[in-house]
Each structure stands twice: as structure tokens, then as C-alpha cells.
Amino acid sequence: MHLPQLRRVRWAVRLTLALGVAASVVANILHARENPISQAIAAWPPLALLLTVELISRVPVHRRSLAFTRLAATATIAGIAAWVSYWHMVGVAARYGETGASPTCSRCRSTG
């Protein structure tokens, strides 16, 4: 690949990550209690993931052991963020009437 193509891919990956984090933050806040402290705490895991990925991707690593440590730390933070965000998203879906393994829109269920 040429440099301009690699830059486009890099920005596409960043945009995809940012959109995923935004959806996760919104779901976490919607599921949190109705006070700013709970909402801020709920929003933190996906933001921590985004910050970690951005910061770690910019650190040059010249030794294999440091590269492995960097990847392990990122994977750990991503796992925590995914676990927390998943349960918030399940709560939001349940709050708005979606249940089961394959939720559908409420209008689709009533006419089907």
C-alpha cells in the first residue's frame, strides 16, 4: 500500500473506534442512575479504552517484551470496557422493551 492509502485506512480505523466508543458511552449513560456522578462513572470505561488505544499506538516500542506488555495492557482495558458496556447496553435495550437474543422493533412485533 502507498502512504496515502495507509493514512486513509488509519483514519477509517480511528473513526470506527470512535463511533463504537460513542455508542458505548451513550448506552452507559442512558443506563446509569439519574445523577451526574453515576453517569460520569458509567461513561468512563469506553473512554478509557479510546484513550489507551490512542496513547499506546503512539508509543514507539523497540523490544518485543515491551510490545507484548503494551498489547496485553490494551487487551485488558478493552476487556473491562467491553464487559461493563455490554451490561449497560443490555439494560438500555431492556428498558426500551427489547428482550431475547434477537430484539426487534416494537412496531414490527405488533404487526407480525
Side-chain angles (χ1 to χ4, degrees), residues 26-59:
V26 169
N28 290 8
I29 289 172
L30 283 172
H31 187 247
R33 294 182 186 214
E34 295 292 327
N35 69 59
I37 294 172
S38 294
Q39 292 172 345
I41 290 169
W44 177 244
L47 292 175
L49 172 62
L50 180 65
L51 290 172
T52 300
V53 169
E54 275 298 313
L55 291 174
I56 285 181
S57 68
R58 295 172 189 277
V59 174

Side-chain angles (χ1 to χ4, degrees), residues 24-111:
S24 184
V25 166
V26 169
N28 290 8
I29 289 172
L30 283 172
H31 187 247
R33 294 182 186 214
E34 295 292 327
N35 69 59
I37 294 172
S38 294
Q39 292 172 345
I41 290 169
W44 177 244
L47 292 175
L49 172 62
L50 180 65
L51 290 172
T52 300
V53 169
E54 275 298 313
L55 291 174
I56 285 181
S57 68
R58 295 172 189 277
V59 174
V61 176
H62 303 291
R63 294 191 322 208
R64 231 176 247 257
S65 62
L66 291 177
F68 176 77
T69 302
R70 180 171 84 167
L71 290 173
T74 304
T76 300
I77 291 171
I80 292 167
W83 180 257
V84 170
S85 293
Y86 172 78
W87 290 109
H88 281 294
M89 287 183 190
V90 166
V92 169
R95 180 186 292 173
Y96 292 97
E98 301 298 328
T99 59
S102 179
T104 58
C105 73
S106 57
R107 285 180 282 152
C108 300
R109 284 193 303 257
S110 64
T111 60

